[in-house]
Amino acid sequence: AFCLTSPQSLYTHHNHTHLSMSTEIPANLTRADAVLLARCAEQAERFSEMVTYMKHVAQMDVDLTVEERNLLSVAYKNVIGSRRASWRVVCAVEQQQRNKARLEMIQEYKKKIEQELTEICNDIIGILDNHLIPACNSDESSVFHQKLKGDYYRYLAEFSVGEQRKEAADNAMDAYNKASAHADKLDTTHPIRLGLALNFSVFYYEIMNQPNEACKLAKEAFESAIEELDVLSEETYKDSTLIMQLLKDNLTLWTSEEDRGDALEDAEIDEV
């Protein structure tokens, strides 16, 4: 959320503790200019600022264009992605530590990362609930935003425990199911529908610990798309076939892990 520091102020202040920065943008910045600056921030790999510009657009309560949706997704994905990777590294260090005092220090450090993860996830979930989902006016847009909501609740569930994990998982399931209801109206080869199947199946595998359901979902999505491959449009061919390959890779990984009876804790599972 943003607020004017005073009625006369020409600038909107965005204070993101989780982004370790404060960005000032003109309060009257147009939608087109915000998108332009978001593109520029992406190329400069300044993803925290990219988030700020795309939040400015999202808070206009408009149904985002395809480009705007992708910019928003890329911005948050990079901001959260580095911290998810950090959390996994610290967890590995924690497991190797035998000294009690040092273990406590590492656990405190891990909590700091988890706090940042929580703030980022809650930030985008709030934007989705309050602005983007109510503004959706197509099935494609609804699938995209409900899937995004499911993804960020899934990220919360990754490090949460007990009742908090259950709540995050329940909310992710609800969002993914709502996305699926709209996705049924899209072509089976549509990249957004395929992306939902990919991430929803990862959710079943990693969070719900239901490998059979994960494989079933991924397999159905892959096979349904294969049947329609000959009518795939040129614009979406590259995106669709890439996600289909990721679905196939996950299926291969999951079935081989199942055969060996090994856990998949450290393997990198593909998602979009």
Side-chain angles (χ1 to χ4, degrees):
F2 61 80
C3 61
L4 292 178
T5 53
S6 72
Q8 293 79 28
S9 175
L10 293 176
Y11 287 89
T12 298
H13 291 265
H14 291 259
N15 243 322
H16 301 293
T17 54
H18 60 264
L19 303 182
S20 303
M21 58 168 288
S22 176
T23 301
E24 285 188 350
I25 63 171
N28 61 349
L29 188 70
T30 66
R31 181 177 178 177
D33 286 347
V35 169
L36 173 67
L37 288 169
R39 278 196 224 108
C40 188
E42 179 185 18
Q43 289 172 17
E45 296 186 3
R46 294 171 67 88
F47 297 110
S48 298
E49 292 171 1
M50 189 182 177
V51 162
T52 302
Y53 292 126
M54 290 317 299
K55 275 183 71 174
H56 183 73
V57 176
Q59 288 167 327
M60 293 177 181
D61 295 323
V62 291
D63 193 18
L64 302 185
T65 65
V66 172
E67 183 193 15
E68 289 167 347
R69 290 196 310 242
N70 290 336
L71 286 169
L72 180 84
S73 178
V74 166
Y76 275 99
K77 185 82 180 197
N78 278 279
V79 166
I80 197 90
S82 59
R83 287 161 177 83
R84 288 174 73 211
S86 299
W87 183 81
R88 286 193 289 265
V89 169
V90 174
C91 284
V93 173
E94 178 189 20
Q95 288 169 6
Q96 294 163 7
Q97 185 56 250
R98 296 291 173 262
N99 181 289
K100 188 181 177 185
R102 289 180 174 178
L103 179 62
E104 287 175 357
M105 286 173 59
I106 293 165
Q107 287 171 339
E108 280 302 310
Y109 188 57
K110 188 176 76 168
K111 282 181 186 174
K112 178 178 178 288
I113 299 170
E114 289 174 354
Q115 181 60 32
E116 291 179 10
L117 286 165
T118 300
E119 289 178 8
I120 295 165
C121 290
N122 287 340
D123 188 39
I124 187 168
I125 288 167
I127 291 289
L128 288 162
D129 280 341
N130 298 323
H131 301 283
L132 295 175
I133 291 173
C136 290
N137 60 20
S138 70
D139 289 311
E140 180 182 301
S141 185
S142 295
V143 175
F144 182 92
H145 291 107
Q146 290 287 359
K147 169 194 165 289
L148 206 58
K149 183 177 174 180
D151 290 342
Y152 282 84
Y153 272 120
R154 171 163 59 89
Y155 300 153
L156 282 172
E158 284 178 343
F159 63 86
S160 301
V161 294
E163 192 57 37
Q164 285 185 323
R165 178 183 168 89
K166 183 183 182 301
E167 185 181 349
D170 287 347
N171 284 327
M173 178 71 82
D174 181 62
Y176 283 137
N177 279 328
K178 284 177 179 172
S180 298
H182 288 281
D184 288 342
K185 297 165 189 171
L186 303 180
D187 291 341
T188 57
T189 54
H190 196 298
I192 293 178
R193 176 171 174 165
L194 288 168
L196 169 64
L198 179 69
N199 288 16
F200 199 178
S201 61
V202 168
F203 168 76
Y204 270 117
Y205 194 94
E206 287 194 327
I207 305 300
M208 301 304 291
N209 196 25
Q210 295 180 19
N212 290 340
E213 194 64 35
C215 289
K216 180 186 172 190
L217 181 57
K219 189 167 183 276
E220 285 177 358
F222 179 80
E223 290 179 348
S224 297
I226 282 285
E227 290 175 10
E228 302 293 325
L229 209 54
D230 55 332
V231 293
L232 199 57
S233 66
E234 269 185 50
E235 314 90 78
T236 62
Y237 184 85
K238 186 179 176 182
D239 289 340
S240 297
T241 51
L242 172 63
I243 301 170
M244 287 170 70
Q245 185 60 52
L246 294 176
L247 284 164
K248 190 177 179 183
D249 290 347
N250 280 356
L251 280 167
T252 303
L253 186 64
W254 293 340
T255 50
S256 65
E257 288 293 341
E258 195 176 72
D259 291 342
R260 290 203 306 269
D262 294 337
L264 195 75
E265 290 174 6
D266 300 319
E268 189 65 38
I269 296 178
D270 289 316
E271 57 163 310
V272 290

